[in-house]
């Protein structure tokens, strides 16, 4: 029987955890989950081609029988139809279901799985290189081929218990978040910087979609896309999710492949997927149409280093600001890159550390220029410890072009969270409160404030949230008379207790050994009574 995604990921991870680092075994787990999804989706598609659309699918053994019978009768026809419908076709002998059956009969062989990966990668650019990080010959899986076979056999069995179609949500993203959360010591340090928690994704997605819900086609761009989940969340808030075009760039090849898997799992076809494996800051991308987008969403690595070379002063992304982000902190470089790629009618949301709100020098110059342009629409302070791998509090900055006014909405949501184990969690009510405050754009006591440009100017363009939202809670005044009465009562009780103890000591038999101790104790108690 199918069990939960988390339970089976835990079981599969348990098999690999003693053999390799979490940052490595997540590649195996997520790659195999992806391959299983494609295999099981093919089985369902074939069954529906034969029997019509349904929500109640029979056991996979029945689905597999339907596929094999058709394949034996006319393999060419079946391959052509499934290729047309799904964009790929996995041979019956290379389906995840087949590998699981072989595993149960102790007939599974790693070379067959590798052949399945290789064949899928040959079926179009969208699959090319997707399984490059899954090294089935790694000695970490076992010192010899037989041991490696046994390890992957156990992992296949654990993962095959997951019914991916019953899982309501972002399969790769949820699996990734779960793995990071469970094994943060190993994976979180490396993974936290390129995974945005769902709650933060939803805040950015909902806000950037406001006023654009019916726009078709809709183009979204994430220059530091990580696993792609931040882009995918926009589907929740748009009327025509099938008309969304996804544009994303990622430097880390492993994570880039993860994003490709994620988009494919969500039914994004090749025509609506424009992804690039590259360095966002070093070389601008995209440079061809479309290069400006309806929404730009970003969660870049915080305060990363970059070259800040003089050549960037003439780069059209940065030149109008006269200064470059410092070498040791690329935060504003990422922000300006995203802002350059934003349409005049679009909205941008970026997550950054609080330092960008108040640091001076070049960052202060860039911040002032953005404020003078009216580009900064809102500053939202989030709670600390909601991201994996870092406990620092962060801020979401919302940017727009061609704003009618230059005021800025400040929202201090830093105190709204639920503490769970080692992580702070934003609940749906917290998200709704933030979005509601953004839409209403009004002053709310200890939560939000709309600051005029003049007010910001008076603060020397410092956007530190406490300057604008006063969250100070006055302590209740102390009742000195009541406190004095309580002290007198305590002193009276103490004096009575000392008297009783002194009387008890006076009844004790005095010996040569106890004489000095008894006299010293009586002296202390007598002194306490006279104070």
């Amino acid at each position: 029987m199918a069990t939960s995604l988390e339970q089976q990921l835990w079981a599969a991870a348990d098999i690999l955890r003693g053999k390799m680092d979490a940052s490595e075994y997540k590649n195996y787990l997520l790659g195999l989950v992806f391959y299983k999804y494609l295999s099981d989706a093919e089985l369902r598609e074939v069954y529906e081609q034969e029997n019509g659309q349904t929500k109640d699918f029979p056991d996979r053994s029945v689905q597999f029988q339907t596929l094999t019978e058709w394949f034996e009768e006319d393999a060419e026809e079946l391959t052509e139809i499934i290729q047309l419908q799904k964009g790929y076709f996995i041979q019956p002998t290379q389906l995840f279901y087949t590998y699981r059956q072989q595993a149960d009969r102790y007939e599974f062989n790693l070379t067959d799985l590798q052949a399945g990966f290789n064949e899928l990668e040959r079926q179009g650019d969208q699959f090319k290189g997707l399984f490059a990080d899954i090294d089935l010959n790694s000695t970490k899986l076992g010192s010899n081929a037989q041991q490696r076979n046994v390890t992957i056999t156990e992992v296949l069995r654990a993962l095959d218990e997951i019914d991916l179609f019953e899982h309501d949500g972002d399969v790769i993203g949820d699996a990734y978040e779960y793995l990071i959360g469970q094994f943060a010591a190993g994976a979180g340090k490396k993974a936290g910087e390129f995974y945005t928690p769902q709650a933060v994704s939803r805040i950015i997605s909902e806000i950037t979609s406001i006023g654009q819900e019916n726009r078709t086609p809709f183009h979204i761009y994430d220059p530091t896309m990580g696993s792609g989940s931040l882009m995918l969340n926009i589907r929740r808030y748009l009327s025509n999710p099938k008309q969304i075009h996804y544009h994303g760039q990622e430097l880390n090849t492993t994570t880039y492949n993860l994003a490709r898997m994620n988009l494919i799992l969500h039914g994004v076809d090749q025509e609506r997927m424009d992804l690039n494996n590259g360095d966002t800051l070093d070389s601008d991308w995209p440079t061809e149409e479309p290069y400006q987008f309806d929404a730009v969403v970003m969660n870049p690595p915080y305060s990363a280093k970059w070259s800040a070379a003089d050549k960037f002063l003439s780069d059209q992304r940065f030149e109008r600001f006269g200064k470059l982000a410092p070498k040791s902190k690329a935060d504003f470089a990422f922000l300006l890159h995203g802002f350059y790629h934003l349409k005049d009618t679009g909205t941008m949301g970026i997550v950054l550390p609080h330092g960008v709100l108040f640091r001076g020098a070049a960052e202060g110059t860039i911040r002032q220029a953005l404020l003078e342009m009216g580009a900064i629409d809102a500053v939202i302070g989030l709670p600390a410890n909601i991201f994996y791998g870092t406990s620092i509090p962060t801020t979401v900055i919302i940017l727009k072009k061609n704003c009618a006014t230059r005021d800025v909405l400040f929202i201090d949501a830093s105190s709204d969270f639920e503490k769970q184990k080692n992580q702070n969690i934003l609940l749906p009510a917290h998200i709704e409160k933030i979005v509601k405050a953004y839409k209403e754009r009004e002053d709310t006591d200890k939560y939000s404030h709309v600051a005029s440009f003049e007010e910001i100017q008076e603060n020397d363009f410092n956007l530190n949230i406490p300057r604008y939202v006063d969250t100070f809670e006055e302590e209740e005044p102390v009742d000195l008379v009541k406190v004095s009465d309580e002290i007198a009562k305590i002193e009276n009780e103490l004096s009575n207790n000392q008297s009783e103890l002194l009387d008890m000591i006076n009844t004790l038999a005095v010996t040569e050994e106890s004489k000095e101790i008894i006299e010293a104790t009586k002296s202390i108690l007598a002194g306490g009574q006279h104070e």
Side-chain angles (χ1 to χ4, degrees), residues 117-128:
F117 288 165
N118 294 344
E119 179 56 37
L120 185 59
E121 287 192 349
R122 284 194 284 267
Q123 295 193 38
D125 289 342
Q126 71 267 40
F127 299 113
K128 189 176 180 181

Side-chain angles (χ1 to χ4, degrees), residues 97-381:
Y97 175 80
T98 303
Y99 296 143
R100 169 62 196 270
Q101 299 306 306
Q102 291 172 344
D104 286 345
R105 297 192 301 268
Y106 300 98
E107 296 172 359
F108 171 74
N109 195 304
L110 277 178
T111 56
D112 294 334
L113 178 58
Q114 188 63 62
F117 288 165
N118 294 344
E119 179 56 37
L120 185 59
E121 287 192 349
R122 284 194 284 267
Q123 295 193 38
D125 289 342
Q126 71 267 40
F127 299 113
K128 189 176 180 181
L130 271 184
F131 303 99
D133 294 307
I134 302 179
D135 182 5
L136 296 178
N137 294 312
S138 171
T139 54
K140 292 182 180 180
L141 296 173
S143 59
N144 57 52
Q146 184 180 358
Q147 289 179 356
R148 293 193 284 274
N149 233 48
V150 170
T151 300
I152 294 299
T153 295
E154 291 175 3
V155 173
L156 286 175
R157 284 177 175 157
L159 294 178
D160 198 46
E161 296 303 310
I162 304 169
D163 186 340
L164 297 172
F165 302 100
E166 283 186 1
H167 180 75
D168 179 27
D170 169 358
V171 179
I172 285 284
D174 289 354
Y176 197 56
E177 183 168 16
Y178 176 74
L179 289 174
I180 296 167
Q182 290 297 328
F183 313 113
K189 294 172 188 173
K190 299 176 183 177
E193 66 187 38
F194 47 70
Y195 186 79
T196 308
Q198 287 292 311
V200 180
S201 289
R202 290 182 185 185
I203 292 167
I204 293 175
S205 299
E206 187 165 1
I207 288 176
T208 54
S209 69
I210 293 171
Q212 304 192 85
E213 293 86 351
N214 298 314
R215 189 182 299 281
T216 54
F218 188 95
H219 291 267
I220 185 168
Y221 175 50
D222 186 345
T224 57
M225 68 179 172
S227 65
S229 293
L230 184 51
M231 282 194 294
L232 283 163
N233 252 302
I234 201 81
R235 296 168 306 130
R236 299 171 184 267
Y237 308 103
L238 298 180
S239 305
N240 301 289
K242 291 290 185 185
Q243 293 294 315
I244 304 171
H245 292 254
Y246 300 88
H247 309 261
Q249 179 157 251
E250 171 59 41
L251 176 60
N252 183 292
T253 304
T254 300
T255 317
Y256 164 72
N257 287 334
L258 186 63
R260 293 163 65 202
M261 291 181 193
N262 212 356
L263 266 65
I264 292 169
L265 280 179
H266 285 84
V268 180
D269 53 54
Q270 187 68 13
E271 290 70 34
R272 295 188 293 120
M273 193 190 307
D274 182 21
L275 308 181
N276 189 51
N277 185 195
D279 187 328
T280 288
L281 298 183
D282 188 57
S283 181
D284 188 22
W285 182 90
T287 54
E288 297 178 358
E289 290 289 346
Y291 72 92
Q292 290 188 314
F293 307 95
D294 301 300
V296 175
V297 294
M298 296 180 73
N299 177 24
Y302 307 145
S303 301
K305 293 180 172 60
W306 76 305
S307 73
D310 289 344
K311 67 176 183 177
F312 290 116
L313 285 168
S314 58
D315 187 309
Q316 51 194 344
R317 296 173 293 170
F318 313 117
E319 61 182 355
R320 67 188 294 186
F321 297 92
K323 295 279 186 179
L324 296 173
K327 286 183 179 181
S328 60
K329 295 179 179 67
D331 302 318
F332 269 110
F334 283 114
L335 184 149
L336 295 181
H337 171 90
F339 188 66
Y340 170 74
H341 286 283
L342 182 67
K343 279 184 181 177
D344 287 353
T345 54
T347 305
M348 173 178 166
I350 182 171
V351 187
L352 289 171
H354 277 258
V356 298
L357 301 176
F358 53 79
R359 290 192 297 247
E363 291 180 295
T365 301
I366 295 169
R367 187 171 60 247
Q368 179 174 337
L370 287 166
L371 288 163
E372 288 173 343
M373 292 161 54
I376 299 179
D377 182 51
V379 174
I380 303 167

Side-chain angles (χ1 to χ4, degrees), residues 379-506:
V379 174
I380 303 167
L382 298 177
N385 204 33
I386 59 171
F387 283 84
Y388 297 99
T390 179
S391 60
I392 64 168
T394 52
T395 179
V396 173
I397 301 176
I398 306 298
L399 297 104
K400 288 178 175 288
K401 292 181 176 178
N402 300 327
C403 287
T405 64
R406 294 189 291 178
D407 58 27
V408 177
L409 169 66
F410 290 87
I411 298 173
D412 188 345
S414 60
S415 300
D416 290 347
F417 60 88
E418 180 179 279
K419 188 166 185 61
Q420 293 183 5
K421 293 184 181 178
N422 299 322
Q423 210 74 28
N424 293 332
I425 305 295
L426 288 173
L427 299 177
H430 301 140
I431 299 170
E432 289 168 16
K433 185 178 178 183
I434 290 170
V435 174
K436 183 173 182 284
Y438 177 81
K439 288 179 177 177
E440 292 178 351
R441 206 174 182 84
E442 294 175 351
D443 283 17
T444 307
D445 188 40
K446 301 188 187 306
Y447 190 73
S448 64
H449 173 64
V450 181
S452 67
F453 179 75
E454 289 71 29
E455 186 178 351
I456 293 167
Q457 198 171 24
E458 287 172 10
N459 276 296
D460 295 323
F461 301 99
N462 185 319
L463 299 182
N464 200 18
I465 298 172
R467 289 188 176 225
Y468 303 94
V469 182
D470 180 12
T471 57
F472 178 74
E473 295 281 355
E474 284 191 16
E475 293 184 8
E476 290 186 18
V478 178
D479 187 337
L480 293 177
V481 174
K482 185 179 178 182
V483 171
S484 179
D485 289 343
E486 286 179 355
I487 291 172
K489 183 180 177 182
I490 291 168
E491 286 180 340
N492 186 50
E493 288 177 358
L494 186 61
S495 179
N496 290 337
N497 289 338
Q498 286 173 332
S499 295
E500 289 176 11
L501 187 56
L502 194 58
D503 290 341
M504 288 173 64
I505 289 173
N506 286 330

